[in-house]
Amino acid sequence: MSVVPMNELCTSEEDLQGQIQAQGPVEAQLLGAEAEDASAPQASFPPDSSSSAAVDAEILFKQAVNVKTAALLEFLLLKYGTKEPIFQAEMLNTVLRDNQAHFPLVFHKATQCLQLAFGLDMKEVDHREHIYVMVPTLGLTLNAEMQRDGQSIPKAGLLVTALSLILLAGGRVCEEEVWGALSSMGVFAGIEHCIYGEPKELLTQVWVPAGYLQYRQVPYSHPARYEFLWGPRAYAETSKQQVKDYLRRVNGRRPRFLPPRRP
């Protein structure tokens, strides 16, 4: 299974939700500025007794966390591709090794990235042995369909974002608002994205025919303007309440790139 270079995909959830700049390599799109140095050789955590200045130690620690989170993301996406269960012991021994004390932080960051970027949730199916499987966010089935069609990278994170934008805009959102919001994530119409490919094509030529979205002209608009609405398949597979719960869950508040709800 071919995957996106994971050292270019992990950052704080706040960066993923709105602080990402869409210039330069993939890390500038999905990681934020601190990721540019995250692939440097400092892959082990600085010791607590470091004689470096506190600010240098913090930078080294963030770099090390990003490197380990990237490695864990790649491991998890490979597991998703093979549909294998995920054992905590394997994550510790394969990815963290000498840094197992930091597993909770690295695991949290990796699962946040899976949810926000790829539309996948981690579900613990064996609490005693700590065994996990990945399930689609909001119950959407398109990731599984794309995987059957040979598309190895799950792309449902963009659809979850689109459905959230529509919900928070009051049931319909004009296309300009969608691209304005997505641009803060480094996602632009007509520009190839490392995960989503050409995003407008994905939204309008894949998910509209699949029934997840509606894309139609705004009535009486001259020149013509277009808007997105939920499609019938979105209503069949998820619900507005599930989307609201998701938005509360990702960070305890509405992601910053989403517009305020219309009155």
Side-chain angles (χ1 to χ4, degrees):
M1 173 183 177
S2 123
V3 297
V4 177
M6 287 299 107
N7 66 313
E8 301 175 351
L9 289 179
C10 55
T11 187
S12 69
E13 56 199 275
E14 290 185 354
D15 283 342
L16 280 170
Q17 291 172 339
Q19 298 302 305
I20 300 160
Q21 300 300 317
Q23 296 181 5
V26 178
E27 56 263 40
Q29 300 175 32
L30 292 177
L31 277 170
E34 70 178 6
E36 293 179 3
D37 297 325
S39 58
Q42 300 100 337
S44 58
F45 292 88
D48 294 336
S49 59
S50 172
S51 59
S52 303
V55 63
D56 293 334
E58 183 178 356
I59 291 172
L60 288 174
F61 181 79
K62 287 181 178 179
Q63 290 175 345
V65 168
N66 274 349
V67 169
K68 293 302 180 183
T69 304
L72 182 56
L73 269 173
E74 185 165 3
F75 172 84
L76 293 174
L77 286 175
L78 287 170
K79 288 290 188 181
Y80 172 78
T82 59
K83 300 181 180 180
E84 298 177 40
I86 301 155
F87 293 81
Q88 180 174 306
E90 189 176 4
M91 288 187 276
L92 288 167
N93 295 328
T94 303
V95 179
L96 274 297
R97 292 189 292 272
D98 297 330
N99 301 291
Q100 296 189 8
H102 300 285
F103 174 76
L105 173 61
V106 172
F107 183 72
H108 173 74
K109 285 172 66 70
T111 54
Q112 285 287 336
C113 188
L114 278 174
Q115 186 177 68
L116 293 168
F118 299 101
L120 294 171
D121 290 335
M122 290 286 286
K123 180 180 179 182
E124 190 171 17
V125 293
D126 187 323
H127 298 286
R128 182 174 181 180
E129 298 294 329
H130 300 296
I131 303 172
Y132 300 84
V133 296
M134 279 176 276
V135 298
T137 299
L138 303 182
L140 302 172
T141 61
L142 73 162
N143 272 339
E145 289 185 359
M146 288 183 164
Q147 193 176 20
R148 286 198 298 271
D149 292 340
Q151 302 182 41
S152 57
I153 300 175
K155 297 176 172 63
L158 185 62
L159 178 59
V160 172
T161 298
L163 295 175
S164 300
L165 286 165
I166 294 165
L167 175 67
L168 292 171
R172 63 189 67 205
V173 61
C174 68
E175 184 175 13
E176 293 87 348
E177 290 183 23
V178 170
W179 295 117
L182 294 179
S183 67
S184 67
M185 301 169 58
V187 178
F188 299 89
I191 298 178
E192 194 78 7
H193 188 271
C194 62
I195 298 174
Y196 309 124
E198 204 291 282
K200 184 170 183 177
E201 180 179 315
L202 187 60
L203 290 172
T204 61
Q205 297 182 31
V206 177
W207 293 336
V208 169
Y212 284 108
L213 296 171
Q214 296 182 60
Y215 180 66
R216 67 188 190 188
Q217 184 177 343
V218 176
Y220 311 111
S221 60
H222 303 285
R225 297 167 57 239
Y226 291 85
E227 62 185 2
F228 286 97
L229 300 86
W230 280 31
R233 188 168 173 185
Y235 283 105
E237 293 188 1
T238 190
S239 68
K240 294 179 179 180
Q241 186 59 51
Q242 283 180 279
V243 174
K244 292 175 184 177
D245 292 342
Y246 161 80
L247 291 173
R248 283 192 289 267
R249 191 168 70 246
V250 292
N251 205 21
R253 64 180 187 273
R254 187 177 69 247
R256 288 201 302 266
F257 66 81
L258 296 178
R261 181 189 299 273
R262 289 177 180 169

